[in-house]
Amino acid sequence: MSSDRLIYLPLGGAGEIGMNCYVYGYGPKDQERLILVDLGVTFPDMDGSPGVNLILPDIAWLEERKDRLEAIFITHAHEDHVGAVGHLYERLGAPVYARAFTANIARGKLEEYGLSEKVVRTVSAWPETVQAGPFSVGFLPISHSIPESAGLVIDSPAGRVVHTGDFKLDKTPLVGEPWDPDLWASVAKDGVKALICDSTNVFSPEAGRSEASIGDEIESLVDEAPGMVVATTFASNVARVKTLAEAGERAGRSICLMGRAMRRMIEAAIETGVLSDFPKVVPVEDARNIPRENLMLLVTGSQGERRAASAQLANGKYNGISLKAGDLFLFSSKTIPGNERGVIRIMNQFSEMGVDVVDDRGGRYHVSGHANRPDLVEMHKVMHPEMVIPMHGEHRHLREHAKLAESNGYASAIAVNGTMLDLGGHAPKVCGFVETGRTYLDGTVLIGALDGIVRDRIRMALNGHVLVTVIVDEDDEVLGDPWCELSGLAETGRSNAPLIDCLEEDLSQFIGRAGAKTLKDDDKLEGELRKIVRQTAQNEIGKKPEVTVVISRLVG
Amino acid sequence: MSSDRLIYLPLGGAGEIGMNCYVYGYGPKDQERLILVDLGVTFPDMDGSPGVNLILPDIAWLEERKDRLEAIFITHAHEDHVGAVGHLYERLGAPVYARAFTANIARGKLEEYGLSEKVVRTVSAWPETVQAGPFSVGFLPISHSIPESAGLVIDSPAGRVVHTGDFKLDKTPLVGEPWDPDLWASVAKDGVKALICDSTNVFSPEAGRSEASIGDEIESLVDEAPGMVVATTFASNVARVKTLAEAGERAGRSICLMGRAMRRMIEAAIETGVLSDFPKVVPVEDARNIPRENLMLLVTGSQGERRAASAQLANGKYNGISLKAGDLFLFSSKTIPGNERGVIRIMNQFSEMGVDVVDDRGGRYHVSGHANRPDLVEMHKVMHPEMVIPMHGEHRHLREHAKLAESNGYASAIAVNGTMLDLGGHAPKVCGFVETGRTYLDGTVLIGALDGIVRDRIRMALNGHVLVTVIVDEDDEVLGDPWCELSGLAETGRSNAPLIDCLEEDLSQFIGRAGAKTLKDDDKLEGELRKIVRQTAQNEIGKKPEVTVVISRLVG
């Protein structure tokens, strides 16, 4: 028997929803030739990553082994699968393969970084394959909430692995290929070693519904609207955007796309031939002059993003267009957990204008793009692999999915980010752990999530900040009094005197009684001054602020 | 006709869910005698109020008129109705009236502030009434998710107003009085001028379900659990806590309450006779020695609060007890929008331990405490008031509720915080606007939400902070070089040199070429130094930090 290993190693997406990044390898231990599947991002929030622009997987492990990396494959063009390609490409340097629509989006990302678009190579659907070291990889079409989503057929000398990517089982997806169980079964007919499978909706008990199931509801809603209609959805859901636009067109409305991502996605879909019959759209400048009852806007910002078109409209005006009483705003989307506050804010702003806000209303105006529990069972059955490895999910999703697979007789394992599995046997075997984590794009710089930089920002936000300045002369005597600058702290507290006065008074008193030994020793002096500030603030206002002490020593 | 006015003025709770605070007044314009209904809090979050402990209504308007304030009435003991009594009582000084259970909780809040518990007066249920200036006020029992919730019958010379408080129409609430339509109808039989009505669940299309409807499901779940069972719910939902405890008892388990709020609520319910037959509970010290399959913990923290028992257990250990594979954790609660991240974090932590987490699963293990849309219609019908004024809801809830009422023939109006309505006529009439807002409890100090203090903290969290120090001697010459301290910023950027070096270099160069006029002028110098820091940082790391400049002038 060969001593070569077939390994699977998630660097992102396993233990979280978002930031997909999966390594496969084949070869002798620690000399495996590698391929990467997806290179996505996740989004920051005020709770854990204030001020951060974007969150990327920590690819340090892979970067150190980039000489062994044969290729990068992108399953589809969602940000959590393709979003880090521009930011991280240079650190990996391997060619990027994708289907036409995904490749179009990926090229745009590389262009932003001034990188050659040529690194992205367009691949046709299965049975075309790409040779990447010991691997042969093909793109197997599957339905999802974006065009040209694909599972990957990954063949190696140790057998066939199928990586589903994100998927749903939709036989009428409106745009892109329908779920084709015969095609997938044909891939599986000679046996599949492992099915690496999307877990997002494992807790949804009913079979998923088709994209085609909501068209009529949307059409009646738009048809009956008396004023302007504005609809938002995920810009990449080209099928939905088309359904919305067609509903508007049938109701005699001119269609206008607002928001860069919305225009970009439709453009890419048309360029790549994914979309051929999209209603005629009018530019924003013309939309302003169209009577509101004849106008329908399709806008970005379904998640309440502050700078997107929907938030701007909620704030009052966007590109010269504003909503008013009698208009309709439709969220043809679901709110991703964690985004509720932003979405609710917008809903209330529209309510204040008298705009009627309609959300998905329990599924009337939105369907999910992921396979629900019964759909997962069907996928397992169609592919009848030796093992099912749950991917793309929080820990609770992976665990539930593994339990589901095992209850149906498949070997399974929970492998979170950094867990290396050997898929070579008849059951997954943990064969290593790799340090993984998150990299923050902060402004224009990449920083480590654990570098302490963002932690310091969070601390300032929670505790406020006091700056203490002391000038010490050549003889180690303090010149004048220490003084403070406060940021983010109440001005007065318990004693009703200004907090800054209390602090400076207590610091002065300390300096007055401090010995020469303390005054000579920067660390000691700084420590003492910090302690006093924190104690006094705690007494006065009940908070212990962050403290920066600056000791300026005059040199004689 | 009298020139006296009957006014309604929400200071909190109208335009938001939480922080309930409603003023009623009767008398000549601007000399109305006033009563206050509820004095609640809402909770801070990292997005808008980092580091804040609690959010209270801004009662400045009422405080200025405290000589006209006759009394404070508390409808029930939820934090968003009673939570600010301790913090704000001294600024108002009027007696507080409540039913026994609510009064018990309110007294606890005053005690924390060292205030006399005697200011809280216990009132029996309707037909007992309290005379408060021109008002006569009675507590009309109604079902909700806490014992002894009450609507208020508010009589004035201008007629009867009924303020529902939070409510649901539950004929079998298990603890506390059931919904009694005959009692409420009897109050309405001589006519109700205005029904001021809870709007929280106006978007829930189906009639609400009874607290009694979930007992069996909970019981089977607990009965079938092989390991330890831990359940969390809102501590104040005494009926639910009892249902859970009884399910545990029937399954032969010892019951242990964990978390201060949980014990406090059960204690208050027993003290006030609301609860008579609660299963025997064991102290935590004993629970540790009970075999896990014979133990059930009832814990605080259903909203993922970081310091509550559930979060502590998810982190590993709490009071010597830890969960492990095969144990069950039940969320007998719903996640309030905005709290999803915290709850999901806990679920995944338990998943990592192998603990089975069960949430409300679409209502099997939780029912809401608020009236749904059909229940609101029923309430309107039973009370057949001249007007329905929606309260307790975000703008979208108030608007929807007003539309609902109007569609059934009632006069209505959307009155958000600060909107004063005259209820004296046959329809509500806006008769003024009052400045309202939020007060933050920050540490131990009350600060205004718009004071800029928290805004500064948010800015530091988003942008990081740079401190610049310059020493200027008696001749307006800069001593040495300016130097910087950085907080929350990347250490290196575009040029690969440390950011701090880039900043100090650019600042030094500026100082070198700065004229005497600039060096003499603190404001000018500070402005220039700030500009340089922001520009250099933008070039290097793509961020414009907050900047504090300290200019130390040595005096000759």
Side-chain angles (χ1 to χ4, degrees):
Chain A
M1 202 184 138
S2 156
S3 69
D4 289 345
R5 300 198 302 189
L6 173 62
I7 59 168
Y8 162 76
L9 167 65
L11 297 177
E16 66 195 323
I17 291 181
M19 206 178 87
N20 292 274
C21 186
Y22 308 92
V23 176
Y24 290 89
Y26 182 80
K29 184 170 183 297
D30 297 331
Q31 297 168 47
E32 296 88 355
R33 301 303 298 179
L34 308 172
I35 58 172
L36 181 64
V37 174
D38 289 339
L39 192 48
V41 298
T42 192
F43 297 95
D45 59 53
M46 192 68 189
D47 291 280
S49 41
V52 168
N53 299 69
L54 213 49
I55 302 177
L56 321 171
D58 178 355
I59 54 156
W61 183 90
L62 192 59
E63 191 178 6
E64 282 166 28
R65 291 155 183 82
K66 62 190 274 193
D67 56 309
R68 285 157 51 192
L69 181 63
E70 301 281 355
I72 300 170
F73 297 90
I74 308 294
T75 58
H76 64 285
H78 276 149
E79 286 297 310
D80 62 333
H81 295 260
V82 74
V85 165
H87 309 293
L88 298 180
Y89 176 77
E90 280 190 306
R91 291 170 55 189
L92 297 174
V96 175
Y97 295 93
R99 299 183 69 197
F101 177 81
T102 310
N104 184 302
I105 299 296
R107 285 193 189 103
K109 307 226 163 259
L110 289 164
E111 212 175 336
E112 277 176 38
Y113 268 72
L115 294 168
S116 163
E117 306 166 33
K118 290 184 192 149
V119 301
V120 182
R121 305 180 192 177
T122 302
V123 185
S124 295
W126 177 264
E128 181 169 324
T129 58
V130 174
Q131 209 57 44
F135 292 105
S136 154
V137 179
F139 288 79
L140 197 59
I142 188 136
S143 46
H144 184 40
S145 48
I146 191 169
E148 291 195 344
S149 205
L152 298 177
V153 182
I154 304 174
D155 286 329
S156 78
R160 174 165 287 183
V161 169
V162 175
H163 180 104
T164 65
D166 290 358
F167 74 98
K168 68 183 290 188
L169 304 185
D170 192 340
K171 295 199 169 177
T172 50
L174 303 186
V175 171
E177 297 97 339
W179 158 237
D180 182 349
D182 295 340
L183 173 68
W184 280 65
S186 76
V187 162
K189 73 174 190 302
D190 295 328
V192 168
K193 197 146 213 25
L195 180 72
I196 316 295
C197 189
D198 180 10
S199 310
T200 312
N201 277 9
V202 66
F203 288 109
S204 300
E206 315 289 340
R209 293 176 305 132
S210 170
E211 184 65 32
S213 69
I214 55 173
D216 289 349
E217 291 276 11
I218 289 177
E219 203 166 317
S220 0
L221 185 73
V222 175
D223 197 45
E224 288 159 19
M228 197 191 306
V229 176
V230 187
T232 185
T233 188
F234 305 96
S236 55
N237 193 336
V238 172
R240 184 72 49 80
V241 176
K242 182 167 181 255
T243 299
L244 291 165
E246 286 174 351
E249 190 179 45
R250 277 193 210 116
R253 292 170 182 270
S254 297
I255 307 301
C256 176
L257 304 180
M258 285 175 96
R260 202 172 73 103
M262 190 68 82
R263 287 192 301 268
R264 173 84 184 88
M265 282 291 167
I266 297 304
E267 200 179 273
I270 290 170
E271 273 174 30
T272 55
V274 163
L275 195 61
S276 50
D277 52 345
F278 194 80
K280 185 171 167 294
V281 301
V282 297
V284 178
E285 305 77 54
D286 297 357
R288 285 179 213 141
N289 303 318
I290 295 172
R292 50 203 325 109
E293 65 274 17
N294 297 334
L295 182 62
M296 179 163 178
L297 309 179
L298 302 178
V299 306
T300 52
S302 69
Q303 299 306 305
E305 302 93 326
R306 273 176 193 275
R307 286 179 207 157
S310 63
Q312 307 257 19
L313 286 168
N315 283 336
K317 205 167 218 180
Y318 186 56
N319 284 335
I321 293 182
S322 53
L323 303 199
K324 66 176 197 184
D327 292 341
L328 173 76
F329 192 98
L330 168 64
F331 282 89
S332 181
S333 55
K334 75 154 213 167
T335 305
I336 294 171
N339 295 341
E340 289 78 3
R341 282 190 201 124
V343 171
I344 288 174
R345 185 188 307 117
I346 289 177
M347 286 181 167
N348 283 310
Q349 286 175 302
F350 284 134
S351 178
E352 285 167 27
M353 296 177 188
V355 172
D356 291 312
V357 175
V358 175
D359 62 16
D360 84 330
R361 296 233 175 114
R364 271 168 78 179
Y365 306 116
H366 178 66
V367 294
S368 169
H370 293 274
N372 291 355
R373 194 179 180 92
D375 309 321
L376 293 173
V377 171
E378 187 178 340
M379 175 59 93
H380 299 171
K381 225 182 245 171
V382 169
M383 303 309 283
H384 57 80
E386 289 187 52
M387 51 189 116
V388 172
I389 311 297
M391 55 97 181
H392 203 197
E394 298 163 11
H395 192 283
R396 60 194 177 117
H397 299 99
L398 303 182
R399 180 163 177 262
E400 186 72 13
H401 194 174
K403 280 163 76 175
L404 176 66
E406 280 168 354
S407 76
N408 288 323
Y410 304 100
S412 190
I414 303 170
V416 295
N417 295 341
T419 307
M420 190 188 287
L421 293 182
D422 186 341
L423 306 178
H426 296 294
K429 216 178 85 188
V430 175
C431 63
F433 293 99
V434 159
E435 207 171 301
T436 57
R438 295 174 158 210
T439 299
Y440 292 156
L441 176 68
D442 190 51
T444 51
V445 179
L446 296 179
I447 60 178
L450 302 178
D451 285 1
I453 292 164
V454 172
R455 184 201 57 203
D456 285 351
R457 295 212 290 257
I458 292 173
R459 284 186 181 163
M460 287 191 287
L462 293 174
N463 306 324
H465 184 251
V466 173
L467 156 72
V468 180
T469 311
V470 184
I471 304 181
V472 185
D473 71 10
E474 302 86 334
D475 308 320
D476 297 326
E477 298 278 346
V478 173
L479 276 185
D481 288 313
W483 75 98
C484 298
E485 303 256 345
L486 276 49
S487 312
L489 291 167
E491 285 182 12
T492 51
R494 181 164 310 189
S495 68
N496 282 320
L499 174 61
I500 191 164
D501 293 355
C502 300
L503 293 172
E504 291 181 349
E505 172 65 25
D506 288 354
L507 290 168
S508 285
Q509 284 192 10
F510 167 78
I511 292 287
R513 63 178 188 265
K517 213 171 136 189
T518 303
L519 294 176
K520 268 184 193 169
D521 183 339
D522 275 9
D523 287 347
K524 206 175 155 99
L525 182 56
E526 183 178 330
E528 293 290 340
L529 295 174
R530 171 173 290 117
K531 209 167 74 185
I532 289 164
V533 168
R534 288 167 65 87
Q535 271 173 359
T536 300
Q538 173 67 29
N539 289 341
E540 282 292 315
I541 62 167
K543 279 184 100 82
K544 289 188 171 173
E546 302 304 301
V547 183
T548 304
V549 177
V550 176
I551 301 168
S552 311
R553 289 193 183 269
L554 301 182
V555 187
Chain B
M1 202 182 136
S2 157
S3 70
D4 288 347
R5 300 199 302 189
L6 172 61
I7 59 169
Y8 162 77
L9 168 64
L11 297 178
E16 66 196 322
I17 291 180
M19 206 176 87
N20 292 274
C21 186
Y22 307 93
V23 176
Y24 291 89
Y26 181 80
K29 183 169 185 295
D30 296 331
Q31 298 169 47
E32 295 89 355
R33 301 303 297 177
L34 308 172
I35 59 171
L36 181 64
V37 174
D38 289 341
L39 192 49
V41 299
T42 192
F43 297 96
D45 59 51
M46 192 68 189
D47 291 280
S49 43
V52 169
N53 299 68
L54 212 49
I55 301 176
L56 321 172
D58 178 352
I59 54 157
W61 183 90
L62 191 59
E63 192 178 5
E64 283 166 27
R65 291 156 183 81
K66 62 191 274 193
D67 55 312
R68 286 160 48 195
L69 181 62
E70 302 280 355
I72 300 170
F73 297 89
I74 309 293
T75 58
H76 65 285
H78 276 147
E79 286 297 313
D80 61 334
H81 296 259
V82 73
V85 165
H87 309 294
L88 298 180
Y89 176 76
E90 280 191 304
R91 291 170 55 189
L92 296 174
V96 175
Y97 295 93
R99 299 183 69 196
F101 178 80
T102 310
N104 184 302
I105 299 296
R107 287 196 187 99
K109 307 228 165 257
L110 289 164
E111 212 175 337
E112 276 176 38
Y113 268 71
L115 295 168
S116 163
E117 307 167 30
K118 289 183 194 152
V119 301
V120 181
R121 305 179 192 178
T122 302
V123 185
S124 295
W126 177 265
E128 180 169 324
T129 58
V130 174
Q131 209 55 44
F135 293 104
S136 154
V137 180
F139 288 80
L140 197 59
I142 188 135
S143 46
H144 184 41
S145 48
I146 190 168
E148 290 196 343
S149 206
L152 297 178
V153 183
I154 303 174
D155 286 328
S156 77
R160 174 166 287 184
V161 170
V162 175
H163 181 104
T164 66
D166 290 359
F167 75 98
K168 67 184 290 188
L169 304 185
D170 193 340
K171 296 201 169 178
T172 51
L174 303 185
V175 170
E177 297 98 339
W179 158 238
D180 182 349
D182 294 339
L183 173 67
W184 280 66
S186 74
V187 162
K189 74 174 188 302
D190 294 329
V192 168
K193 198 149 212 26
L195 180 73
I196 317 295
C197 189
D198 180 12
S199 311
T200 313
N201 278 7
V202 65
F203 288 109
S204 301
E206 315 290 339
R209 294 176 306 131
S210 169
E211 183 64 33
S213 69
I214 55 172
D216 289 350
E217 290 276 11
I218 289 176
E219 201 166 319
S220 358
L221 184 74
V222 175
D223 197 47
E224 288 160 17
M228 196 191 305
V229 176
V230 187
T232 185
T233 188
F234 305 95
S236 55
N237 193 335
V238 173
R240 184 71 50 78
V241 176
K242 183 169 181 250
T243 299
L244 292 164
E246 286 175 350
E249 190 178 46
R250 277 192 209 113
R253 292 170 182 269
S254 297
I255 308 300
C256 176
L257 304 180
M258 285 174 97
R260 202 171 72 104
M262 189 67 83
R263 288 193 301 268
R264 173 84 184 90
M265 282 291 167
I266 298 303
E267 204 178 271
I270 290 169
E271 274 174 30
T272 55
V274 164
L275 196 62
S276 50
D277 52 343
F278 194 81
K280 186 173 165 295
V281 302
V282 298
V284 178
E285 306 77 53
D286 296 358
R288 285 178 211 141
N289 304 317
I290 295 172
R292 52 201 326 109
E293 64 275 16
N294 297 334
L295 183 61
M296 178 162 178
L297 309 179
L298 302 179
V299 306
T300 52
S302 68
Q303 299 306 305
E305 302 93 326
R306 274 177 191 274
R307 287 180 206 155
S310 63
Q312 306 258 19
L313 286 167
N315 284 336
K317 205 169 219 177
Y318 187 57
N319 284 334
I321 293 182
S322 53
L323 303 199
K324 66 175 197 186
D327 291 340
L328 173 75
F329 192 98
L330 169 63
F331 283 89
S332 182
S333 55
K334 75 153 215 168
T335 305
I336 294 171
N339 295 341
E340 289 78 4
R341 283 189 200 125
V343 170
I344 288 174
R345 185 189 307 118
I346 290 177
M347 288 182 165
N348 283 310
Q349 286 175 302
F350 284 134
S351 179
E352 285 168 27
M353 296 177 188
V355 171
D356 290 313
V357 175
V358 174
D359 61 16
D360 84 328
R361 294 229 177 116
R364 272 168 77 180
Y365 306 116
H366 178 66
V367 292
S368 170
H370 293 274
N372 291 354
R373 193 179 181 91
D375 310 321
L376 293 173
V377 171
E378 186 178 340
M379 174 59 94
H380 298 172
K381 227 183 246 172
V382 169
M383 303 309 284
H384 56 80
E386 290 188 50
M387 50 188 118
V388 172
I389 311 297
M391 56 99 183
H392 204 197
E394 299 163 10
H395 192 283
R396 62 194 175 115
H397 299 98
L398 303 184
R399 179 164 178 262
E400 185 72 12
H401 194 174
K403 279 163 77 174
L404 176 66
E406 280 168 354
S407 75
N408 288 322
Y410 303 100
S412 191
I414 303 169
V416 296
N417 295 341
T419 309
M420 189 187 289
L421 293 183
D422 186 340
L423 307 178
H426 296 295
K429 216 178 86 189
V430 175
C431 64
F433 292 99
V434 158
E435 207 171 302
T436 57
R438 296 174 156 209
T439 300
Y440 292 157
L441 176 70
D442 191 51
T444 51
V445 180
L446 296 179
I447 60 178
L450 302 178
D451 286 0
I453 293 165
V454 172
R455 184 201 56 202
D456 285 352
R457 294 212 291 258
I458 292 173
R459 284 187 182 163
M460 287 191 288
L462 293 174
N463 306 325
H465 184 249
V466 173
L467 157 71
V468 180
T469 309
V470 185
I471 303 181
V472 185
D473 71 10
E474 301 86 334
D475 308 319
D476 296 325
E477 299 278 343
V478 173
L479 277 186
D481 288 313
W483 75 98
C484 297
E485 303 258 344
L486 276 48
S487 312
L489 291 167
E491 285 182 12
T492 52
R494 180 165 307 190
S495 69
N496 281 321
L499 173 60
I500 191 165
D501 293 355
C502 300
L503 292 172
E504 291 180 348
E505 172 67 25
D506 288 353
L507 290 169
S508 285
Q509 284 190 10
F510 166 77
I511 292 287
R513 64 177 187 267
K517 212 170 137 192
T518 302
L519 293 176
K520 267 184 195 168
D521 182 338
D522 274 9
D523 286 347
K524 206 176 155 102
L525 183 55
E526 185 178 327
E528 294 289 342
L529 296 175
R530 171 173 291 118
K531 207 166 78 186
I532 290 163
V533 168
R534 289 167 64 86
Q535 270 174 359
T536 301
Q538 174 67 29
N539 289 340
E540 282 293 314
I541 63 167
K543 278 182 103 79
K544 290 188 171 172
E546 301 305 300
V547 183
T548 304
V549 177
V550 176
I551 301 168
S552 310
R553 291 196 181 268
L554 300 183
V555 186

